[in-house]
Amino acid sequence: MSGKDRQKQLAREHYERQNQRRIEREARAKRNAIIGTSVAVVVVVGGVIAATTLLGGNGTSSATAASATPTTPANPSQTSTAAQPTAFDPAGGTCGYVADTAGGPAKNVGLPPAKVDTTPKTMTLKTNQGDIVIEVSAEKTPCTVNSFAFLAKKKYFNGSKCHRLGSDQFPVLQCGDPLAKADGKSQTDGRGGPGYRFVNENLKDAKYTRGVVAMANSGADTNGSQFFIVYGNAQLGPDYTPFGKVTKGLEIIDKVNKGGVITPGPDGTGAPKETVEIKDVTMSSKS
């Protein structure tokens, strides 16, 4: 092989490696840039503008075009000058919640108590479609469960509607935005929260299989009140706190899924035709 032929071969191999890396990056981004809340960010990559949130509210204002990763924080509250939430401290039995300074729409109810109860619990979502019972892991996700117990006591979720139903590729029902209209028209569904945020938990080897309940977020440690229930097997990276498992009522989600969405976004997701309204949320110690 001549020197010129060798150079051509090396150039071709280099191009093939670059192309393979690009394909892998795009596939990874499509898997991970699915579930988000809060503020949309405009990102310019390769001359293409993509409006992204990690698990956005609905198909029109969310992560439907998220094939790129932002290079700047998706949430102003994640900057180094803002107060940061802290993980569970076993010695003191406390979690550190902080105000969300991103400026998104919120139903403010104050901050959860720092002191956490880690005894096993069951959370029941009383909906217009029936009860959905979730066994939550206060031991593995103490800050998350403590937040839900606080919000349930404040009647925070009462009257809220699950605003986003997934697709075959993204089998989840997303709830927890107290301001969502879930009418297939609202451009702000999925941006509401409680006015505070807390840390990610239980991410090691996290899997999002049928029945798993996990937190939606807009980046690391930006958890608020939005969550999603998986009714299939969602191929997501370990970026969303899995804090419970449905033990009763999963057939309700299946029924809602069969009904489809009102106005599908580019990713096939949208507000469900079968409205799911949360009437009340209760948290009880597991018997």
Side-chain angles (χ1 to χ4, degrees):
M1 180 183 294
S2 68
K4 185 177 293 186
D5 289 338
R6 178 59 178 164
Q7 286 181 339
K8 288 181 179 180
Q9 180 182 353
L10 291 173
R12 183 171 60 255
E13 291 174 351
H14 178 68
Y15 170 77
E16 290 173 351
R17 287 195 299 271
Q18 283 188 320
N19 191 50
Q20 182 61 32
R21 284 195 292 267
R22 178 184 62 79
I23 292 172
E24 290 173 354
R25 284 197 304 270
E26 291 179 354
R28 184 166 56 250
K30 288 177 181 178
R31 287 196 303 270
N32 292 338
I34 299 292
I35 297 205
T37 63
S38 165
V39 185
V41 177
V42 175
V43 185
V44 180
V45 178
V48 179
I49 298 178
T52 70
T53 52
L54 293 181
L55 183 50
N58 53 40
T60 57
S61 63
S62 63
T64 57
S67 60
T69 302
T71 56
T72 56
N75 189 328
S77 64
Q78 291 178 258
T79 61
S80 59
T81 57
Q84 299 300 312
T86 55
F88 176 66
D89 176 13
T94 59
C95 290
Y97 302 91
V98 298
D100 186 355
T101 59
K107 178 181 177 180
N108 288 296
V109 289
L111 294 179
K115 192 70 174 178
V116 172
D117 177 9
T118 58
T119 57
K121 293 178 177 61
T122 297
M123 182 168 71
T124 301
L125 310 181
K126 296 184 179 298
T127 81
N128 63 315
Q129 300 281 355
D131 289 357
I132 301 172
V133 181
I134 303 166
E135 183 179 327
V136 296
S137 178
E139 182 180 1
K140 293 181 179 179
T141 57
C143 299
T144 305
V145 174
N146 185 58
S147 173
F148 271 95
F150 169 75
L151 293 175
K153 187 176 181 180
K154 292 288 185 178
K155 305 298 181 184
Y156 173 90
F157 296 105
N158 291 20
S160 65
K161 296 177 180 179
C162 297
H163 60 275
R164 189 184 186 196
L165 177 67
S167 60
D168 290 341
Q169 292 74 35
F170 180 42
V172 307
L173 177 68
Q174 188 172 343
C175 314
D177 177 355
L179 308 176
K181 294 180 173 60
D183 58 4
K185 301 175 183 178
S186 175
Q187 297 297 306
T188 59
D189 282 8
R191 298 185 184 181
Y196 65 82
R197 59 193 182 90
F198 56 94
V199 297
N200 289 348
E201 299 177 294
N202 194 32
L203 295 185
K204 185 178 179 181
D205 300 323
K207 302 294 183 184
Y208 306 94
T209 53
R210 180 174 168 82
V212 166
V213 186
M215 295 299 297
N217 64 52
S218 58
D221 301 336
T222 60
N223 302 288
S225 60
Q226 291 189 46
F227 61 96
F228 60 95
I229 302 171
V230 184
Y231 57 83
N233 288 312
Q235 300 301 311
L236 297 170
D239 301 305
Y240 312 100
T241 297
F243 66 93
K245 189 79 177 282
V246 174
T247 58
K248 177 185 175 183
L250 201 53
E251 70 279 359
I252 293 172
I253 313 300
D254 292 335
K255 173 189 171 185
V256 172
N257 176 46
K258 288 181 180 178
V261 301
I262 299 173
T263 307
D267 61 354
T269 73
K273 289 181 180 179
E274 287 272 359
T275 299
V276 181
E277 180 177 343
I278 298 175
K279 301 292 187 179
D280 189 32
V281 177
T282 57
M283 189 79 73
S284 59
S285 295
K286 187 178 177 183
S287 57

